[in-house]
Amino acid sequence: MTDVTQTSSSRGTPFHIPMWSDANWIVRIALLVGLALIVVALAAPLIAPFDPNDQSLISRLRPPLGFERYKDGFFLGTDELGRDILSRCIYGLRLTFALALAGSIIGLLIGGTLGLLAGIAGGVLEDLVMGMVDIQIAIPFTLIALLILAVMGSSLDVMILVLGVYGWEQYARIVRAEVKKLIQMPFVEAAQAAGATPLRIAFRHILPNVVSPIVVQFTLNFSNIVILESTLSFLGLGVQPPTATLGSMVGIGRDYLPTAPWIVLVPAAAILLLTFAVQILGDWLRDKADVRLRTR
């Protein structure tokens, strides 16, 4: 009777969520921040107070709420064209998040697939893949991005392609190294002796053990893509105006930093929150996904 009572009470309330209870306080904060940013991004048309591209030159460079010259309704101030900073940040967060997510997934699929094939097949295919990785690492990616954008233009589709190519070599190196290590493990050799096909070995025995480093690399790549998008927008080669991204807002607002710092600080704070949430949650998910930690 006592054991039943203790077990029941340890489960907490009917609304007990294991993922939440297993997380420490900083992970919980990151989870709440991440969920809030996702909700804001998805609900941008519903919660943005103004159209992000509406201009009002008589309201240009108005400061946020609480400062002199604040204009009603523009809680975070206005930019050099009188556009609402809050509305542009909400829509910019939506597009920045979508670009970073799409680029990270594409890079993961390309690099992960090539790394898996290189590690399992070996031989000429492995040499070819690692040669491509060495070439990619040797050439600064900014130059590659500039070349692609100069030849193909700065459309949104091309931007997704550029961001997707970024970082694939890191996935390939990590996955290939993990596969080469795992393929020598007794459980893989036992599966081979039992007649398992290479495809079954790859998906059933190798991939679950590669998830942990891939999750870490995904979060790093996501944050780096946000920064890369900001860099390209700063150079005028990112998403073209008047469409807002967090990076383009920072790049354009730098000229007004001494007189209107809110133009830069607000989107920069949104970038900081986004990368913070992704990094903390990625590190936590890495531990959760690591089969070696679960078996201890």
Side-chain angles (χ1 to χ4, degrees):
M1 184 70 176
T2 304
D3 294 339
V4 174
T5 304
Q6 290 177 348
T7 302
S8 176
S9 63
S10 64
R11 292 176 182 174
T13 66
F15 302 100
H16 171 75
I17 302 175
M19 186 177 69
W20 178 264
S21 61
D22 292 343
N24 58 36
W25 66 271
I26 193 169
V27 173
R28 293 182 181 184
I29 293 175
L31 184 60
L32 291 175
V33 170
L35 289 176
L37 292 176
I38 292 174
V39 170
V40 168
L42 293 177
L46 301 177
I47 63 177
F50 298 97
D51 186 300
N53 298 324
D54 279 352
Q55 301 180 15
S56 177
L57 294 180
I58 60 173
S59 301
R60 65 189 301 268
L61 300 179
R62 292 296 185 98
L65 177 66
F67 290 86
E68 188 180 355
R69 295 185 61 249
Y70 162 73
K71 184 173 182 180
D72 291 340
F74 297 95
F75 300 106
L76 296 182
T78 61
D79 64 7
E80 74 283 0
L81 296 177
R83 297 172 296 192
D84 180 45
I85 294 292
L86 176 59
S87 299
R88 288 183 66 77
C89 273
I90 292 174
Y91 276 89
L93 172 66
R94 188 185 201 187
L95 185 53
T96 296
F97 188 89
L99 288 173
L101 184 61
S104 298
I105 292 175
I106 293 173
L108 170 60
L109 293 176
I110 295 174
T113 302
L114 291 177
L116 185 63
L117 292 175
I120 293 177
V124 177
L125 179 59
E126 181 180 12
D127 293 338
L128 178 61
V129 171
M130 298 314 296
M132 294 168 57
V133 168
D134 292 338
I135 293 174
Q136 176 84 3
I137 295 175
I139 303 175
F141 186 79
T142 303
L143 297 180
I144 298 176
L146 292 176
L147 176 61
I148 296 175
L149 292 171
V151 173
M152 303 181 65
S154 300
S155 67
L156 191 59
D157 293 338
V158 175
M159 191 67 179
I160 293 175
L161 173 64
V162 170
L163 298 178
V165 175
Y166 176 78
W168 73 267
E169 75 281 359
Q170 299 298 331
Y171 289 111
R173 292 180 65 190
I174 292 172
V175 172
R176 179 252 181 189
E178 289 293 321
V179 170
K180 297 295 285 187
K181 179 177 66 175
L182 291 169
I183 209 166
Q184 305 296 327
M185 300 296 288
F187 65 91
V188 175
E189 294 179 349
Q192 291 172 337
T197 63
L199 190 62
R200 177 176 176 79
I201 292 174
F203 285 95
R204 182 68 178 85
H205 300 286
I206 293 180
L207 277 183
N209 291 279
V210 182
V211 169
S212 178
I214 284 181
V215 168
V216 177
Q217 182 57 36
F218 186 90
T219 57
L220 291 173
N221 200 53
F222 187 97
S223 303
N224 289 335
I225 285 179
V226 173
I227 297 173
L228 175 63
E229 185 275 324
S230 304
T231 302
L232 295 176
S233 297
F234 175 79
L235 296 175
L237 295 172
V239 178
Q240 296 300 300
T243 304
T245 66
L246 297 179
S248 64
M249 292 179 67
V250 172
I252 294 174
R254 62 181 289 273
D255 294 333
Y256 301 89
L257 189 58
T259 56
W262 58 88
I263 299 180
V264 172
L265 295 180
V266 174
I271 293 175
L272 179 63
L273 288 175
L274 180 59
T275 54
F276 161 78
V278 171
Q279 293 284 356
I280 297 299
L281 291 176
D283 189 58
W284 179 67
L285 289 174
R286 185 263 325 262
D287 295 339
K288 290 295 182 182
D290 195 331
V291 295
R292 292 166 293 188
L293 294 178
R294 292 204 302 264
T295 56
R296 289 179 182 175

